[in-house]
Amino acid sequence: MAPSFYGQYPKFHVAVDCIIFGFEAGKLKVLLQQRPFEPRQGEWSLMGGFVKRNEDVDAAAERVLNQLTGLHNIYMKQVGAFGSVNRDSGDRVISVAYFALVDIAKVNHDLNHQHSAYWEDIDELPPLLFDHKEMVEKALYRLRTMLHSRPIGFSLLPPLFTLSQLQQLYEAILGQKLDKRNFRKRIGDMKFVEKTDLIDKVNSKRGAALYQFNKEVYEESKLFKL
Amino acid sequence: MAPSFYGQYPKFHVAVDCIIFGFEAGKLKVLLQQRPFEPRQGEWSLMGGFVKRNEDVDAAAERVLNQLTGLHNIYMKQVGAFGSVNRDSGDRVISVAYFALVDIAKVNHDLNHQHSAYWEDIDELPPLLFDHKEMVEKALYRLRTMLHSRPIGFSLLPPLFTLSQLQQLYEAILGQKLDKRNFRKRIGDMKFVEKTDLIDKVNSKRGAALYQFNKEVYEESKLFKL
DNA sequence: TCAAAAGTGTTAAGTTTACACCCATGA
DNA sequence: TCATGGGTGTAAACTTAACACTTTTGA
């Protein structure tokens, strides 16, 4: 049997869908777009796109993320494949979902607007197209789980942040309040969260120390636990 | 734009590959087959198959598992999609990997032999086709992680088992020795691991109490932690 | 002067780990 | 009778959780 043996089997459209998380004003947000084409044009959906012929599926996800945000080299993880026969009412499409963590301040707002994309609060999502709600839920679950064992939250923050911002971020992702002193104690144990001598005076009168995430120090220590 | 708008985009072969775990003689095993067709016929690989036109991807995985083992209603979870352009040397194929946990005693050995499939020790796997090693590693990682929060190990055991067997199973999956008294203390806290009045005399002279997993009790308590 | 966010330690409760001997039986 | 696997409890180390007040400063 030659390679063409595969030829007897059916082929499918394969798409990627991106769950793009951001953090703003103490809230975890997802970037949603109004679907630009039929069927179900105008409904809220994740940003997606079809995989190209000579493109890795991972690369397709990066391309779609870039098209909508202008960003490169973003933290992305696959959530999984969604392959029910009737999940897309247009035609059979198997979709692979990815989630991305971005610093909202760095995204290109013009691109967002060109794609009718807006940041929506994770707690107040509108009804979503097809199985996109399920994708978001699975992505959020993965994000929460990983947050306990990997320092991924920093991808959602600007390079410099206060401990209060960091705590708010954790609270927003985990959906629960955390004790301030216990939180700071644990962050204090993480050598890769470095205090700078800069002070943020925007969010408080007194001023708060600005911290930064040091990836190199993390790679060495690999010590993490929240 | 009509549904046929999708038509301009390329289509791909989509396959499923199954990482079928079993437990025998104190070892965690994976069911591997010698690939039955070209290219690379005869190489060790996971059991896989192409998704059919009107078949959910999950259903394809169940079908493939059933073809090889004769089993239905088996614990299966998706591991993820593998979509590199050149992952399959035959043609472009996007594959979705699933892992399954089976009771080796229940699998149909004739079917295994018909497919040239054999149980291989997880610690002594031969070189595998394409990216199948990566699939197995990811599946094992998921299995290990889930083992800490869900009572999935029981799917690998017969309905009645001794605590020593259960401990060996956990040790085999986690790849580390566990303390016997601490292990039994923790299992003792799980109301859904029920002691029966049956005694196993096969594995020891003295005889060991046989236990069973009670799914209903678990569903109520949802209490688990190893 | 006061409202608002920053910053800081201690103690009790709970969890995890380490550890060693006797028991019952079949060969 | 002895080799084999079955079965059992306690104490120390560590981790987590609960908790409240003082500081700084801009409005």
Side-chain angles (χ1 to χ4, degrees):
Chain A
M1 290 184 258
S4 61
F5 160 72
Y6 293 0
Q8 67 184 283
Y9 294 100
K11 291 183 163 192
F12 304 90
H13 289 302
V14 177
V16 295
D17 285 298
C18 295
I19 299 99
I20 305 171
F21 288 112
F23 178 67
E24 198 176 45
K27 299 278 191 177
L28 185 65
K29 309 261 182 174
V30 182
L31 190 54
L32 298 179
Q33 76 165 171
Q34 286 172 295
R35 183 169 162 100
F37 48 73
E38 292 294 342
R40 304 181 61 172
Q41 183 162 5
E43 286 190 32
W44 287 107
S45 78
L46 296 169
M47 176 81 180
F50 288 97
V51 175
K52 294 183 178 178
R53 198 168 299 287
N54 277 291
E55 182 182 48
D56 290 350
V57 177
D58 288 353
E62 286 161 25
R63 170 174 55 80
V64 165
L65 176 71
N66 176 258
Q67 281 169 4
L68 185 56
T69 64
L71 299 172
H72 282 292
N73 294 121
I74 290 302
Y75 185 89
M76 282 190 103
K77 286 284 173 209
Q78 191 192 114
V79 174
F82 291 75
S84 297
V85 172
N86 296 309
R87 55 171 295 283
D88 186 319
S89 57
D91 192 1
R92 174 114 200 230
V93 179
I94 290 162
S95 182
V96 183
Y98 288 77
F99 77 85
L101 305 180
V102 307
D103 172 3
I104 285 193
K106 293 213 183 85
V107 322
N108 183 325
H109 281 247
D110 293 341
L111 287 173
N112 285 181
H113 289 144
Q114 281 169 37
H115 289 90
S116 311
Y118 306 92
W119 291 102
E120 302 291 337
D121 192 310
I122 191 81
D123 296 322
E124 295 169 9
L125 294 183
L128 297 180
L129 185 81
F130 302 156
D131 50 5
H132 288 195
K133 178 145 192 274
E134 194 190 333
M135 291 179 178
V136 172
E137 282 169 356
K138 213 161 186 167
L140 180 59
Y141 178 81
R142 293 283 301 274
L143 174 58
R144 283 181 175 160
T145 306
M146 295 184 69
L147 199 65
H148 291 292
S149 60
R150 304 199 154 232
I152 56 178
F154 306 101
S155 305
L156 290 160
L157 291 172
L160 293 169
F161 51 84
T162 67
L163 292 183
S164 293
Q165 281 177 291
L166 186 61
Q167 182 173 348
Q168 279 172 37
L169 171 64
Y170 272 79
E171 289 175 343
I173 295 175
L174 300 174
Q176 59 180 302
K177 286 279 169 208
L178 299 174
D179 179 272
K180 182 163 64 161
R181 279 182 285 189
N182 293 338
F183 182 81
R184 284 167 182 245
K185 210 182 307 166
R186 283 186 288 204
I187 300 299
D189 294 340
M190 300 173 191
K191 298 289 163 39
F192 50 86
V193 182
E194 299 174 334
K195 188 173 185 169
T196 68
D197 49 9
L198 301 170
I199 303 291
D200 169 77
K201 301 277 285 186
V202 176
N203 298 296
S204 77
K205 295 161 182 172
R206 175 175 171 179
L210 284 163
Y211 288 74
Q212 63 191 356
F213 172 60
N214 187 321
K215 194 168 194 293
E216 287 68 40
V217 174
Y218 170 70
E219 297 295 343
E220 285 164 31
S221 72
K222 286 289 180 196
L223 238 156
F224 193 87
K225 178 106 178 293
L226 189 84
Chain B
M1 289 185 261
S4 60
F5 159 72
Y6 292 0
Q8 66 186 283
Y9 294 100
K11 290 183 163 192
F12 304 90
H13 289 303
V14 177
V16 294
D17 284 299
C18 295
I19 299 99
I20 304 170
F21 289 112
F23 178 69
E24 197 175 46
K27 299 278 190 178
L28 184 65
K29 309 261 182 175
V30 181
L31 190 54
L32 298 179
Q33 74 164 174
Q34 286 171 296
R35 179 170 234 245
F37 47 75
E38 290 295 342
R40 305 182 61 172
Q41 183 162 6
E43 287 191 31
W44 287 107
S45 78
L46 296 168
M47 176 78 180
F50 288 96
V51 175
K52 294 185 177 176
R53 199 169 299 287
N54 276 291
E55 181 181 50
D56 291 349
V57 177
D58 288 354
E62 287 162 24
R63 170 173 57 78
V64 166
L65 175 71
N66 175 258
Q67 281 167 4
L68 185 56
T69 64
L71 299 172
H72 283 291
N73 294 120
I74 291 300
Y75 185 88
M76 282 191 103
K77 286 283 173 209
Q78 191 192 115
V79 173
F82 291 74
S84 296
V85 172
N86 296 309
R87 53 171 296 282
D88 185 320
S89 57
D91 191 1
R92 174 117 200 226
V93 179
I94 290 162
S95 182
V96 183
Y98 288 78
F99 78 85
L101 305 179
V102 308
D103 171 3
I104 285 193
K106 293 213 183 88
V107 322
N108 183 325
H109 281 245
D110 293 341
L111 286 173
N112 285 180
H113 288 144
Q114 282 168 36
H115 289 90
S116 312
Y118 306 91
W119 291 100
E120 301 292 337
D121 192 310
I122 191 80
D123 295 322
E124 295 169 8
L125 295 183
L128 297 179
L129 184 79
F130 303 155
D131 49 5
H132 288 197
K133 179 146 191 275
E134 195 190 332
M135 290 178 178
V136 172
E137 283 169 357
K138 211 161 188 169
L140 180 59
Y141 178 82
R142 294 282 302 273
L143 173 57
R144 283 181 175 160
T145 306
M146 294 184 69
L147 198 65
H148 291 292
S149 59
R150 303 196 156 235
I152 57 178
F154 306 101
S155 305
L156 290 160
L157 291 172
L160 293 170
F161 51 85
T162 67
L163 291 183
S164 294
Q165 281 176 290
L166 186 61
Q167 182 174 349
Q168 279 172 36
L169 171 65
Y170 272 80
E171 290 175 343
I173 296 175
L174 299 174
Q176 59 179 302
K177 287 277 168 209
L178 300 173
D179 180 273
K180 182 163 64 161
R181 278 183 286 189
N182 294 338
F183 181 81
R184 284 167 182 245
K185 209 183 307 169
R186 282 185 289 206
I187 300 298
D189 294 340
M190 300 174 190
K191 298 289 165 36
F192 50 86
V193 182
E194 298 174 334
K195 188 174 186 167
T196 68
D197 50 8
L198 301 169
I199 303 291
D200 169 76
K201 300 278 283 186
V202 177
N203 298 297
S204 77
K205 295 162 182 170
R206 174 175 172 178
L210 284 162
Y211 288 73
Q212 62 192 355
F213 171 59
N214 186 323
K215 194 168 193 293
E216 286 69 38
V217 174
Y218 170 70
E219 297 295 343
E220 285 164 31
S221 73
K222 286 289 180 196
L223 239 157
F224 192 87
K225 180 107 179 292
L226 189 84

